[in-house]
Amino acid sequence: MANTTHDHPVYVIGGGPGGLAAAAALRERGVRAVVLEKSGSVGASWRGHYDRLRLHTTRRLSGLPGLPMPRSFGRWVSRDNVVRYLERYADFHELEVVTGVEVSRIDPAPDGGGWLLHATGGRELTGSAVVIATGYNHTPYVPEWPGRDTYTGELAHARQYRNPRPYEGKDVLVVGTGNTGAEIAVDLVEGGAARVRLAVRTVPHIVRRSTAGWPAQATGILVRRLPVALVDRAGALMCRLSVPDLSARGLPRPATGLYSRVKEGAIPVQDVGLVDAVKRGAVKPVAAVESFNGDKVVLADGTRISPQAVIAATGYRRALDGLVGHLGVLDDRGRPVVHGARTPPTAPGLYFTGFTNPISGMFRELAIDATKIAKEVAKKVAAAHRATC
């Protein structure tokens, strides 16, 4: 469909999968969308991930609107192929992407007709609507552990980790038992680290990525609308049948329900080797980190250990406060109060995508959000056009 010409485009902030999907869906409905990406290329977040990363969702269920992922990518798509796909996606849909432009603040336009974006170099851009797709993994977060700044070993966030080569022959502590921490721990073992420990604050739910050819993602899609208590019970049974009890190795089964934890924002760990590594003692779970003292790391149980390197797989912050915090559209944890095609009552025309971590797969939900947002925006553009005719 050809683009409808109007004074102000829809600005999409972020050139990752969520932003590109939204722009493509808008373009398909005849709405001009301009993607603003602060880095020099699309897919910047994916380019920065560690080498061995693959999508934990299947290729077939991870395509964005209008362009399936190629079969040649295989079932579990690698980081490099995700980047290739996003580059091809932008080209295929002929998206209007402007790189090197960072938006620092969004305000209502002075004339009341849309939004004013304050961007790099003193730019002021007016958009009829704004889709914020800056990503779930935006700003690396490292806790303010006491003594952290005086630690004499190497301390790095997981964002800085690429592969195990720099850690070959070293004693390494990985902090955090999400998917990133679990996978880095396994990568270190396979890459020749002398010792790998995994600091556990909250015991994770572990699920098989695929069982007898059936992906965990498909189960997530089927159960996401069911009652939480029911899914918790089914999840507990599934885990007992498919994942061995690792209590004797320091990783007991969680006391809380799988889906209850998902609702709180904690996605299960998809096993890509952690279970086997813990079972054979190659990865040793230890207590959570409490503080640092010289070359020592002090754990919650009072144990003091001396790893040569600590990798903090401790998550990210959305970093939306400076951008839209003054608009009353964030909750007390800095998350958008609405998502997808809904806009905040006090900020009509402001959309958010990619700020949840769904059990049904991030790429899949980004695709669904994009279609819904485009439909809603196109409807409002058409209504505005009729009103001026």
Side-chain angles (χ1 to χ4, degrees), residues 132-327:
I132 300 177
T134 49
Y136 192 83
N137 295 336
H138 187 274
T139 303
Y141 168 72
V142 178
E144 293 286 344
W145 290 301
R148 185 189 77 177
D149 294 339
T150 61
Y151 175 56
T152 57
E154 177 187 345
L155 173 62
H157 188 271
R159 184 68 174 178
Q160 299 165 268
Y161 179 87
R162 291 293 175 270
N163 57 63
R165 284 193 295 273
Y167 302 94
E168 188 174 353
K170 291 185 178 181
D171 183 337
V172 187
L173 173 67
V174 180
V175 184
T177 49
N179 279 291
T180 297
E183 191 157 359
I184 287 176
V186 173
D187 200 32
L188 288 165
V189 168
E190 294 177 355
R195 185 177 193 179
V196 179
R197 285 174 283 205
L198 183 63
V200 181
R201 182 170 297 278
T202 303
V203 179
H205 286 273
I206 302 175
V207 300
R208 299 293 188 185
R209 186 169 63 176
S210 179
T211 303
W214 179 263
Q217 179 191 8
T219 301
I221 293 170
L222 291 176
V223 305
R224 68 184 307 244
R225 303 294 183 190
L226 296 178
V228 172
L230 176 62
V231 180
D232 280 347
R233 289 195 295 272
L237 175 61
M238 175 188 70
C239 288
R240 283 197 298 272
L241 292 174
S242 62
V243 178
D245 186 356
L246 300 171
S247 299
R249 292 291 187 177
L251 201 61
R253 294 192 189 279
T256 53
L258 184 153
Y259 205 33
S260 294
R261 292 275 295 281
V262 169
K263 289 296 185 180
E264 296 171 359
I267 292 297
V269 170
Q270 295 207 19
D271 181 38
V272 291
L274 180 66
V275 169
D276 178 65
V278 171
K279 190 175 180 180
R280 59 190 173 87
V283 171
K284 179 176 174 52
V286 296
V289 171
E290 286 294 304
S291 63
F292 290 79
N293 187 353
D295 66 343
K296 298 287 193 294
V297 178
V298 183
L299 304 180
D301 61 3
T303 303
R304 291 171 175 254
I305 60 177
S306 301
Q308 294 166 279
V310 176
I311 299 172
T314 45
Y316 294 80
R317 293 292 182 261
R318 312 302 154 249
L320 291 171
D321 294 279
L323 191 65
V324 295
H326 57 289
L327 298 175

Side-chain angles (χ1 to χ4, degrees), residues 11 13 36 38 100-110 114-127 130 132 134 322-324 326-327 350:
Y11 282 107
I13 304 176
L36 303 176
K38 69 177 182 179
V101 174
E102 182 175 8
V103 179
S104 57
R105 182 182 171 97
I106 300 173
D107 287 308
W115 295 95
L116 179 65
L117 286 68
H118 305 272
T120 306
R123 293 180 179 88
E124 291 189 345
L125 309 169
T126 303
V130 177
I132 300 177
T134 49
L323 191 65
V324 295
H326 57 289
L327 298 175
L350 192 63

Side-chain angles (χ1 to χ4, degrees), residues 8 22 37 54 67 75 117 128 132 140 287 306 318 329 350:
H8 303 303
E37 167 55 46
R54 290 180 177 271
L67 185 67
R75 194 181 199 198
L117 286 68
S128 57
I132 300 177
S306 301
R318 312 302 154 249
V329 297
L350 192 63

